[in-house]
Structures are given as structure tokens and as C-alpha cells.
Amino acid sequence: SASLNAVLGQAAPVIAFIGGLIFLREAATPAKIAGLLLASAGAVWYSLLESGLAIEGDDIPAAVAIIMASAFIWALYLILAKRLMRRWSAVDLSVITVGISAPVAALMGVLAQGLGQPVEYAVAWQLQPAAWGVLIFLALVPGLICYLLWNAGLKVIEASRAAVFGYLMIPAAMGIAWFLPGQLHEPLSLPKLMAAAVIVAGIVLVSRRPQSGTGLVSRRPQS
């Protein structure tokens, strides 16, 4: 179910946070750890509110394996991106990421068909103008511009801190849905606002600059 997906999906920033500490030798400060725990708790709380506190599914073990695999892959991308941007710019990495994603997505479609999953391919000349508008928006904004902004931020802050910023998507989506008109509008509720506030409080903690000597595991970043 979507609720199980949402709850388990909150593991990705946690895995990336731990990966930054281990593989990038970033410092683990009390503020960072407390911020991670607070933000992830708020994210899980919000996900459970969205699903009506119900976690169900037809094949939960397989779902858990797939979702956790995607979380590990996202964390791996974050760590590798941080390493690569010691030599590359944010623009270089973003363009390469977008360029590689297209053939990989096509390959995944072929593999899914081989496993008996229904995959439909749209023929370009049959698409309506509105569909082309959606595709262009997805390619430019979330596909390129958002990656560019993310990588630019990742270049100047620690990967473990950047991972927790991923939780900001929840209050951002909640705010956008509240402003949308008609059937797209989603009303705000006090429990959801409280969960979003917990997420923001955790991110504020993570963003605090550590004072010298406060790290639980203080390590010098590799050059």
C-alpha cells in the first residue's frame, strides 16, 4: 500500500546520513543526530496520518525489499555525488545524471516486461500538446533544475546534513497541495501541521554549525 511505501521511504535519508559518517568521514555531532531523529520521526508521523494509520499490503516482504533497495540506491547516489564533486561541478554532475538516466530507465522497462509487468510506451507523434508540456516540464524542472540545485548545495555542505534536507519535501508538498485549486486542493489539519513542524525543527537542528570539540565522532574530511 501507499502507506507502507511512504513510511519505509523515510529510511533513505537515515541510510544516507550513516553513509556520510562512515564513507565520507563526516563528524557526528549531537545536534545532527538529534535533528535526524526528530525529522525522521516527523516524516513517519506524517506518512501514517496520510494513510489513516493503516499499513497493509498483499506482499509486504517483497515490498519492503524493493523500497529498501531504492533507499540504499538513493543513499549511494548521494555519497558518490559528494565524492565526484570534489573534481566536477554541479552542472557537470547534473547533466551526466540526466544523460545516464534515460537509457537506464529504458533498460528497466525491458527488464520489467521480461518479468511480466505491464509497460506501455507512448509513441511521440501520438502525444497531445498537453502531454508534451508535461514531459518538457518534468525534464527541465525536476529532471535537471532540481538536480542542479541539489548538487550545488551538496557541493558546499556535508552529505549527512544534505540527506536530512530531503525530508523538506513533505511540508513543501503539503503547502503546495493546500494552495492548489479544485480537486487538487488538500486541506490542512492540526496533526499534519504538527508533524511538519517536527520535521522543520529537526532540519533546523541539523543545520546548526557545530562548535569545536562537540562531535561524537570528529573526523577530518578526506581531500
Side-chain angles (χ1 to χ4, degrees), residues 2 4 30 48 55 71 93 98 107 127 149 178 183 189 193 211:
L4 180 63
L48 290 174
I55 297 180
L93 184 61
V98 173
L107 176 61
L127 293 178
L149 294 174
W178 182 69
Q183 294 181 344
S189 65
L193 287 173
Q211 299 177 355

Side-chain angles (χ1 to χ4, degrees), residues 10 34 43 61-62 84 89-90 96 105 113-114 122 141 150 169 187 199-200 222:
Q10 312 311 331
L84 289 172
S89 70
I96 291 172
Q113 281 186 317
V141 180
W150 175 264
M169 288 188 292
I199 294 172
V200 173
Q222 295 177 344

Side-chain angles (χ1 to χ4, degrees), residues 10 34-47 164-172 174 192-206:
Q10 312 311 331
L36 171 70
L37 295 176
L38 200 59
S40 59
V44 171
W45 182 15
Y46 183 88
S47 299
V164 184
F165 275 83
Y167 286 129
L168 271 179
M169 288 188 292
I170 293 176
M174 184 179 69
K192 288 183 179 180
L193 287 173
M194 292 173 63
V198 171
I199 294 172
V200 173
I203 293 172
V204 170
L205 271 177
V206 168

